[in-house]
Amino acid sequence: MSDPSLPISDLEALADLVEARRSRGERIVLTNGCFDLLHVGHLRSLVDARSRGDFLVVCINGDASVRRSKGPDRPIFPEGERAELLLGLTVVDAVLIFHEDTVDGILERIRPEVYAKGTDYTPESVPEGPTVRAYGGEIAIVGDPKDHSSRGVLSQIRSAPDSPS
């Protein structure tokens, strides 16, 4: 179950927490994404990621990072609310909000045993793959086929007959 003092905004605090868990023999899994409009595809990916270890860290893109990658109309929900939603899921143990475009620096510092990415990637196409392989970590492709997306949900909402937009 998640600690109510989280999300962690400091990488060193997260590193201390991860080391404490690792010292108890726990296997650390890390995944990342925007998690802008939480949907079943996110949940399935998180459940699959958590099944690969004992402690799941979810790194979420900060608001400015989401805008850079998804466009000026995103995120729908601010970073603090996205973090709070994720922490409400029993499979999520810790959330870190990050502002860079990749999690390479976090991976280098935390060195999770497993780095989990969704099925829109292959182990060879994961941008942070070289970082994970350099420290000896495992890349896991998790979740079901990419049949769900925040972009798709937003498109459905906007095209609905009763849509306000």
Side-chain angles (χ1 to χ4, degrees):
M1 187 68 175
S2 301
D3 178 332
S5 68
L6 304 174
I8 297 170
S9 59
D10 176 74
L11 180 56
E12 290 309 310
L14 178 61
D16 290 345
L17 177 61
V18 164
E19 281 310 309
R21 301 304 288 253
R22 189 176 278 132
S23 71
R24 292 191 283 204
E26 293 184 16
R27 186 169 156 95
I28 309 303
V29 180
L30 186 143
T31 192
N32 68 288
C34 298
F35 298 95
D36 190 14
L37 189 57
L38 204 56
H39 54 72
V40 71
H42 287 133
L43 180 61
R44 291 172 181 166
S45 177
L46 292 167
V47 167
D48 191 354
R50 181 60 162 76
S51 76
R52 313 297 176 111
D54 305 300
F55 189 80
L56 178 61
V57 176
V58 180
C59 297
I60 66 167
N61 296 76
D63 293 345
S65 175
V66 174
R67 279 190 289 281
R68 286 192 303 272
S69 68
K70 304 289 185 180
D73 293 340
R74 303 278 296 279
I76 301 299
F77 296 107
E79 59 194 37
E81 290 180 13
R82 291 183 284 125
E84 186 176 346
L85 283 168
L86 287 167
L87 286 168
L89 301 175
T90 57
V91 297
V92 175
D93 296 297
V95 172
L96 175 71
I97 299 168
F98 72 101
H99 303 285
E100 299 76 20
D101 292 329
T102 71
V103 291
D104 285 299
I106 297 166
L107 289 166
E108 288 172 349
R109 180 65 183 95
I110 301 300
R111 296 177 172 249
E113 285 75 12
V114 180
Y115 179 49
K117 290 298 283 182
T119 57
D120 46 338
Y121 291 94
T122 66
E124 298 75 31
S125 70
V126 170
E128 299 87 352
T131 299
V132 176
R133 286 187 283 280
Y135 70 77
E138 171 191 337
I139 297 171
I141 304 302
V142 298
D144 58 1
K146 189 76 171 179
D147 294 333
H148 308 90
S149 69
S150 296
R151 180 174 285 128
V153 172
L154 289 169
S155 178
Q156 284 182 309
I157 291 168
R158 290 180 178 132
S159 66
D162 297 342
S163 175
S165 50

